[in-house]
Amino acid sequence: MISSPRSGCPVNRALEVLGDRWTLVILRDIAAYGRRSFRELLTANDEGISAPVLSRRLSDLTDAGLLTRVDSPRGKQGRYSLTELGISTVPVMVELARFGAAFDPETARQLPLFLQQGGGFASRIDDLRREHLGEGAAAPAR
């Protein structure tokens, strides 16, 4: 992840944060599949991310404010949670998934269940806020 922007372009800046090979895959696994521990993210990942790369990306995402990590008691793994900024990537991932399914229809069967069932993701975002930010978490004021 690039810490200081190469330009003032917001598209470039978004790509500097989200555009590496693994970031959106990790965010997808957390948002769409509820994988929140390091072990779940490592072993349930179909794309084959390595442990060192996963560790680095989770650290980068935490440093960038897209994730938080809560340590668990000894013997249990910590859990990663999306922040509001992390949740704001869901519409981007939904549109990328729709593009991917249109580009390669064979991938459509692997769309997250909430997209296969007719599509809207607003309720999923509300669920993510409750799951990751706390019970009854509401959308931020604009």
Side-chain angles (χ1 to χ4, degrees):
M1 196 165 304
I2 298 169
S3 58
S4 52
R6 289 183 286 225
S7 75
C9 174
V11 171
N12 175 69
R13 191 61 180 135
L15 287 173
E16 288 173 340
V17 175
L18 301 174
D20 70 74
R21 181 176 179 172
W22 295 107
T23 295
L24 288 176
V25 170
I26 293 166
L27 292 172
R28 174 210 63 196
D29 283 356
I30 294 170
Y33 302 113
R35 299 171 186 151
R36 299 191 46 195
S37 72
F38 184 90
R39 184 174 314 274
E40 288 173 316
L41 291 164
L42 182 65
T43 61
N45 178 278
D46 292 338
E47 291 80 14
I49 192 169
S50 71
V53 170
L54 176 59
S55 180
R56 180 76 229 146
R57 291 300 179 274
L58 288 169
S59 178
D60 289 346
L61 289 166
T62 301
D63 290 347
L66 292 143
L67 296 177
T68 58
R69 182 177 186 275
V70 175
D71 289 324
S72 293
R74 188 178 179 120
K76 295 202 174 205
Q77 291 200 356
R79 290 177 57 84
Y80 290 90
S81 294
L82 296 165
T83 63
E84 187 61 44
L85 187 61
I87 292 169
S88 75
T89 66
V90 170
V92 173
M93 288 188 282
V94 165
E95 292 308 316
L96 284 171
R98 288 180 177 152
F99 171 80
F103 181 76
D104 183 356
E106 287 293 311
T107 65
R109 68 179 180 273
Q110 290 190 25
L111 283 168
L113 194 55
F114 69 92
L115 289 178
Q116 290 180 27
Q117 296 173 335
F121 58 88
S123 66
R124 181 63 186 143
I125 289 177
D126 291 341
D127 291 343
L128 288 170
R129 283 192 178 106
R130 279 189 292 280
E131 293 165 21
H132 292 263
L133 303 176
E135 195 61 38
R142 297 200 184 236

